[in-house]
Amino acid sequence: MLKLAVLVSGGGTNLQAIIDAIDNGSITNAKIEVVISNNKNAYALERAKQHGIEALCISPKDYEERAEFNQAFLEKLNSYGVDLVVLAGFLVVIPEMMIKQYRNRIINIHPSLIPSFCGTGYYGLKVHEGALARGVKVTGATVHFVDEGTDTGPIILQKPVMIEQGDTPEVLQRRVMEQAEWKILPEAIDLIANGKVEVVDGKAVIKK
Ligand code: GAR
């Protein structure tokens, strides 16, 4: 059974998609051990508690030095002994020592087709604002492993979503979530939980 930590900062609709997929059996061999937020008011924490999942907050704001926070964050995560860390709308930079310890064991959902509209400054609605400003006709979502760069790790799954005339960033954000994020994030977890994802030469390969 793959033990998961899900890291969140906001509403937690991707967390909900994972909880639902475990409940309805579309994710097998996985269990959420803990949900961690940097924001004590994140609705995602409520969603976890409603499902009897342990939920806690750890914020850089409560530490004088970033290094102190990074240490405490890593110790807290390690105390749960998880196999996979899922960033589901988590807006804090992952400390390098955590990336090293959890090499190819941290995944992130990003609301665009990487390498478009990703990297520093592209998160949440800003991604969709960028896509609409550029006038692209297709966007989507990506699940990838986390490495030392921002949105640069091996890509596991991607799903395209059409842009429609008159889209606002909010409308597009919702469509990308419904049509792509809430599908590929649970799917990626199920693949990993069932030993079907391997990283070879820096690229994620799905075993048939
Ligand atoms: C999602 O759209 C996720 O892809 C995005 O934040 C949102 C969180 O929503 N993540 C990023 O932009 C990461 N760079 P949620 O809290 O409802 O799951």
Side-chain angles (χ1 to χ4, degrees):
M1 182 73 74
L2 194 83
K3 291 194 212 163
L4 311 176
V6 184
L7 276 46
V8 295
S9 297
T13 65
N14 279 286
L15 167 66
Q16 191 67 52
I18 299 166
I19 292 171
D20 293 347
I22 291 174
D23 283 353
N24 72 25
S26 38
I27 295 177
T28 58
N29 288 327
K31 171 177 188 291
I32 304 177
E33 286 290 312
V34 64
V35 170
I36 302 176
S37 174
N38 62 308
N39 162 17
K40 66 177 183 348
N41 297 318
Y43 185 64
L45 289 174
E46 274 313 304
R47 294 181 191 269
K49 287 179 197 154
Q50 280 167 18
H51 279 77
I53 299 166
E54 182 151 344
L56 61 94
C57 172
I58 180 163
S59 167
K61 290 187 192 142
D62 297 331
Y63 295 82
E64 278 185 16
E65 301 285 335
R66 192 66 178 209
E68 263 181 77
F69 163 76
N70 287 347
Q71 187 63 37
F73 181 25
L74 183 59
E75 281 169 14
K76 184 57 85 182
L77 179 66
N78 284 346
S79 73
Y80 287 92
V82 300
D83 307 299
L84 183 70
V85 178
V86 180
L87 310 185
F90 188 62
L91 300 181
V92 173
V93 175
I94 300 298
E96 265 192 32
M97 56 185 174
M98 190 179 280
I99 294 170
K100 279 201 177 68
Q101 271 193 32
Y102 288 80
R103 176 77 56 202
N104 295 335
R105 292 196 295 141
I106 308 177
I107 63 171
N108 179 49
I109 177 80
H110 183 78
S112 75
L113 293 175
I114 289 174
S116 289
F117 312 110
C118 65
T120 307
Y122 280 115
Y123 57 89
L125 266 188
K126 291 182 193 297
V127 178
H128 306 292
E129 285 164 7
L132 292 175
R134 182 62 184 84
V136 294
K137 305 297 180 228
V138 182
T139 183
T142 302
V143 182
H144 63 92
F145 285 112
V146 172
D147 68 5
E148 283 77 357
T150 306
D151 302 325
T152 52
I155 291 171
I156 305 166
L157 293 175
Q158 292 189 298
K159 194 163 194 292
V161 172
M162 298 306 291
I163 286 175
E164 293 175 14
Q165 290 264 325
D167 270 350
T168 62
E170 290 79 7
V171 166
L172 182 58
Q173 179 180 51
R174 181 78 193 180
R175 187 179 315 115
V176 169
M177 284 176 159
E178 284 177 357
Q179 295 185 4
E181 296 185 47
W182 301 341
K183 297 190 164 138
I184 63 174
L185 184 56
E187 192 183 337
I189 294 168
D190 183 59
L191 288 168
I192 294 168
N194 289 288
K196 296 203 172 140
V197 183
E198 221 180 9
V199 177
V200 181
D201 295 335
K203 294 185 186 66
V205 179
I206 315 279
K207 296 190 239 169
K208 294 285 167 203

